[in-house]
């Protein structure tokens, strides 16, 4: 009976959605751009290859050099809602598109933790000049390969709480990361930007081991700061550009704001950032569907990471994080807030400020909308109005002239799927992000952006005047193929992307 009701609701919803989608005009789908009344002045080249420069405002730079943000994004008709856009991120087969090969470097932090830096292209594949711009990428909430495999085995449970792998899980292998890095790191002669990139995989994500009593969280920036030391030391002449997705967007926003004028990044772009964690948590937990589909999926994913890395997290039995592991693993189908109340508020970063007295206290501290006024580099935020995970957007950004917001009507959470001219399905955001990276990486003139000086202490790379953050390279790493494990629930369908009839078949199987 319940299955019949759910199927009827899906069919009716699809019908209503399709009718509404087809009835919209082009202006409805045009992104809305938000700027401060007075935007930052930016020195740019008159034209590519020119030695002459001129000054443009941030608004003018986006208008003239990021034209895709002034054109409409219309989702493919059968992915007309934010729920369906987000769902397709899980069920789609992305294993045959946007292949990226990485070379992994492992870093040890001062507290004994491990970070995984995935560089592309590998130096043994293609040699690039030392001053080639580098895209520094921070991924989303989780990145656990075993969890992704588990979610695919549970395809029949998808709409009942296992919205896990793609949009809600992450690492250098994820398709939304590769959708940008594949063309960005392609040689200019082949139509790409010819840039270098590095994905900073969080502790315990994408095969990175957990070697200390700490994971990661939306506001903890010491790990990206340590990674930036290493990247800057390895490539002292390169322009560094930040790119963050979902939770990684929150970390990147905090980092850029905290660094201020000394930020080692020349510019940044964030997509689907959760911003106000308090209000977005209330929206997730206060709606039955959002709580049981999205919130519980996020909580289950994080609980699985704790389970996989329980040995590493409990090496010091008396440590508060170690003592939080058993209660966390005992939770049954935890919602995200329940998981955060039990574990993240304790293990999401170093002390101080961790542990927090409650999940709400952690949310207040980790919310990134409050730090936007302190951003001092060109900063573009892209969001979707129908994102089911992020429902509160600080589009006025504290009236900061360095920050611009682009908000689409549709797109879901890290979806933005559309049908291309050749009939395939791609992600719309690839175009505006590449335009932005070219504008700030090749056209913008940056006089000095090296950050504070670095030093070595007992083999650890540290910043002068900051003794609590540092890193050193350790053995391990190696070759990583970005598309491995990205087959999705629809991999059995012919071709790398399913037909609309295939989607309906999977929806029937779900309910």
């Amino acid at each position: 009976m319940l299955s019949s009701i759910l199927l009827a609701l899906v069919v009716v919803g699809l019908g209503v959605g399709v009718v509404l989608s087809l009835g919209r005009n082009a202006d409805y789908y045009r992104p809305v751009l938000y700027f401060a009344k007075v935007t930052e002045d930016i020195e740019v080249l008159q034209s590519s290859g020119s030695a002459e420069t001129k000054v443009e405002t941030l608004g003018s730079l986006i208008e003239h050099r990021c034209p895709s943000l002034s054109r409409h994004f219309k989702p493919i008709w059968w992915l007309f809602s934010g729920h369906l856009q987000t769902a397709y991120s899980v069920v789609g087969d992305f294993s045959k598109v946007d292949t990226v090969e990485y070379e992994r470097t492992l870093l040890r932090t001062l507290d004994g933790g491990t970070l995984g830096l995935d560089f592309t292209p590998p130096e043994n594949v293609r040699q690039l000049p030392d001053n080639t711009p580098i895209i520094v990428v921070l991924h989303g909430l989780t990145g656990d390969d075993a969890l992704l495999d588990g979610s695919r085995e549970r395809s029949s449970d998808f709409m009942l709480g296992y919205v896990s792998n793609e949009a809600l899980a992450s690492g250098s292998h994820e398709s939304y990361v590769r959708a940008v890095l594949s063309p960005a790191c392609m040689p200019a002669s082949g139509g790409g930007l010819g840039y270098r990139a590095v994905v900073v995989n969080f502790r315990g994500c994408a095969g990175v081991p957990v070697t200390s009593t700490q994971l990661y969280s939306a506001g903890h920036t010491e790990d990206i700061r340590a990674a930036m030391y290493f990247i800057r030391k390895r490539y002292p002449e390169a322009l560094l550009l930040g790119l963050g997705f979902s939770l990684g967007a929150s970390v990147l926003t905090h980092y850029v704001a905290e660094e201020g004028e000394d930020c080692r990044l020349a510019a940044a772009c964030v997509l689907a950032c959760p911003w106000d964690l308090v209000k977005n948590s209330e929206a997730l937990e206060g709606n039955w569907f959002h709580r049981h589909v999205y919130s519980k999926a996020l909580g289950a994913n994080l609980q699985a990471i704790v389970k996989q890395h329980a040995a590493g997290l409990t090496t010091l039995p008396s440590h508060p994080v170690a003592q939080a592991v058993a209660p966390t693993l005992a939770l049954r189908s935890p919602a995200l807030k329940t998981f955060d109340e039990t574990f993240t508020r304790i293990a999401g970063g170093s002390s101080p400020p961790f542990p927090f007295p409650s999940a709400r206290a952690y949310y207040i501290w980790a919310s990134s909308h409050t730090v936007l006024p302190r951003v001092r580099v060109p900063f573009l935020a892209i969001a979707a109005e129908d994102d089911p995970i992020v429902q509160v957007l600080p589009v006025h950004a504290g009236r900061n002239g360095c920050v611009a917001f682009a908000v689409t009507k549709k797109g879901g959470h890290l979806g933005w799927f559309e049908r291309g001219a050749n009939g395939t399905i791609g992600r719309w955001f690839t175009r505006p992000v590449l335009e932005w990276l070219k504008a700030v990486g090749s056209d913008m003139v940056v006089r000095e952006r090296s950050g504070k000086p670095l030093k070595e202490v007992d083999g650890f790379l540290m910043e002068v005047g900051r003794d609590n953050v540092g890193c050193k390279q350790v053995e391990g790493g190696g070759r990583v193929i970005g598309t491995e494990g990205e087959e999705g629930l629809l991999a059995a369908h012919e071709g790398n992307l399913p037909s609309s009839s295939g989607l309906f078949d999977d929806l029937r199987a779900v309910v």
Side-chain angles (χ1 to χ4, degrees):
M1 180 65 178
L2 178 60
S3 295
S4 299
I5 294 173
L6 287 174
L7 177 59
L9 290 173
V10 169
V11 173
V12 171
L14 283 172
V16 173
V18 169
V19 171
L20 292 175
S21 176
L22 294 176
R24 307 290 189 184
N25 60 35
D27 286 339
Y28 175 82
Y29 293 103
R30 196 182 310 278
V32 179
L33 299 177
Y34 296 88
F35 304 97
K37 288 184 177 179
V38 179
T39 59
E40 192 75 5
D41 288 337
I42 300 171
E43 186 179 3
V44 295
L45 299 176
Q46 289 272 16
S47 59
S48 296
S50 171
E52 299 295 321
T53 67
K54 63 178 180 179
V55 173
E56 289 186 354
T57 64
L58 176 62
S60 176
L61 179 141
I62 289 176
E63 178 184 356
H64 294 107
R65 299 172 192 262
C66 303
S68 293
L69 291 176
S70 299
R71 301 171 187 156
H72 74 276
F73 158 63
K74 186 173 183 179
I76 190 166
W77 69 269
W78 44 272
L79 297 178
F80 57 83
S81 75
H83 297 302
L84 291 174
Q85 286 276 328
T86 305
Y88 187 72
S89 295
V90 181
V91 302
D93 177 13
F94 305 99
S95 63
K96 301 177 181 67
V97 296
D98 299 325
T99 300
V100 178
E101 183 177 353
Y102 301 100
E103 187 70 28
R104 175 165 295 181
T105 296
L106 296 180
L107 301 182
R108 184 63 35 82
T109 59
L110 288 179
D111 73 311
T114 303
L115 307 177
L117 274 58
D118 289 351
F119 289 89
T120 188
E123 292 188 353
N124 63 351
V125 173
R126 189 164 75 249
Q127 293 287 329
L128 298 176
D130 290 341
N131 63 350
T132 300
I134 301 175
I135 309 165
V136 181
V137 182
L138 294 182
H139 60 76
L141 184 60
T142 64
D144 182 80
D145 293 332
L147 177 62
L148 303 193
D149 293 339
S151 71
R152 286 162 183 155
E153 292 170 0
R154 298 173 182 263
S155 60
S156 62
D157 294 323
F158 165 67
M159 289 299 288
L160 300 178
Y162 290 95
V163 185
S164 40
N165 74 40
E166 188 72 36
L168 309 181
S170 198
S172 60
H173 57 282
E174 297 297 340
S175 68
Y176 60 78
V177 173
R178 293 183 287 109
V180 174
L181 297 195
S182 179
C185 298
M186 185 185 300
S189 60
L193 297 182
Y195 287 4
R196 181 181 279 114
V198 54
V199 182
V200 181
N201 294 294
F202 297 137
R203 303 175 186 219
C205 293
V208 176
V210 170
T211 55
S212 71
T213 53
Q214 181 179 309
L215 281 181
Y216 57 92
S217 65
H220 181 68
T221 57
E222 290 183 8
D223 287 349
I224 177 57
R225 187 168 285 108
M228 290 295 293
Y229 297 168
F230 179 83
I231 297 166
R232 171 50 71 212
K233 180 69 180 298
R234 184 169 175 177
Y235 298 105
E237 300 178 26
L239 193 70
L240 305 181
L241 308 170
L243 178 62
F245 298 91
S246 194
L247 180 131
S250 179
V251 176
L252 183 63
T253 303
H254 276 279
Y255 170 76
V256 171
E258 290 169 7
E259 294 296 288
E261 297 288 352
D262 294 318
C263 186
R264 300 177 194 278
L265 295 169
C269 176
V270 298
L271 294 91
C273 182
W275 303 115
D276 190 332
L277 298 185
V278 174
K279 290 186 177 179
N280 279 309
S281 173
E282 291 171 350
L284 272 180
E285 305 299 332
N287 177 288
W288 185 92
F289 183 83
H290 288 79
R291 175 178 173 81
H292 285 271
V293 174
Y294 299 109
S295 181
K296 287 195 173 184
L298 292 162
N301 285 0
L302 289 166
Q303 185 184 43
I305 284 186
V306 174
K307 181 178 181 180
Q308 182 186 6
H309 298 290
L313 292 167
T314 55
T315 52
L316 301 175
S318 62
H319 194 281
V321 172
Q323 294 179 357
V325 169
T328 301
L329 297 183
L331 296 172
R332 294 178 59 85
S333 301
L336 178 60
K337 186 175 182 181
T338 302
F339 178 90
D340 289 338
E341 188 73 53
T342 309
F343 195 77
T344 306
R345 70 174 182 87
I346 300 170
S350 56
S351 177
F354 288 85
F356 286 92
S358 65
R360 182 179 177 84
Y362 155 67
Y363 290 159
I364 292 171
W365 170 82
S367 292
S368 53
H369 69 292
T370 58
V371 303
L372 281 171
R374 294 158 53 192
V375 171
R376 301 308 310 147
V377 299
F379 189 97
L380 172 64
I382 300 177
E385 197 173 289
D386 67 348
D387 186 333
I389 309 297
V390 181
Q391 302 177 50
V392 179
L393 302 175
V395 293
H396 299 294
R399 296 176 173 80
N400 185 344
C402 292
V403 179
F405 261 82
V407 182
T408 59
K409 281 288 184 183
K410 303 292 183 178
H413 191 71
L414 293 179
W416 284 290
F417 293 107
E418 64 178 359
R419 184 175 293 283
N422 60 356
T424 61
I425 300 172
R427 278 184 158 103
W428 164 85
F429 68 71
T430 298
R431 291 195 305 278
V433 171
L434 289 178
E435 291 166 355
W436 170 262
L437 292 172
K438 181 180 184 300
V440 296
S442 300
D443 300 342
M444 185 173 69
V445 177
V446 180
R447 300 299 180 185
E448 184 65 31
R449 185 61 68 182
S450 58
K452 294 180 179 179
L454 300 173
K455 63 180 181 179
E456 281 197 26
V457 178
D458 297 329
F460 283 89
L461 191 60
M462 305 172 70
E463 185 179 85
V464 173
R466 189 193 293 268
D467 296 329
N468 64 326
V469 179
C471 67
K472 65 179 179 180
Q473 186 174 351
V474 295
E475 292 184 358
R479 183 169 172 263
V480 178
I481 303 297
T483 54
E484 291 182 351
E486 287 301 289
E487 292 81 4
L489 298 177
L490 297 181
H493 289 254
E494 183 178 358
N496 65 311
L497 294 164
S499 64
S500 56
S501 61
L503 178 69
F504 283 108
D505 291 341
D506 280 276
L507 285 172
R508 294 188 187 101
V510 164
V511 296

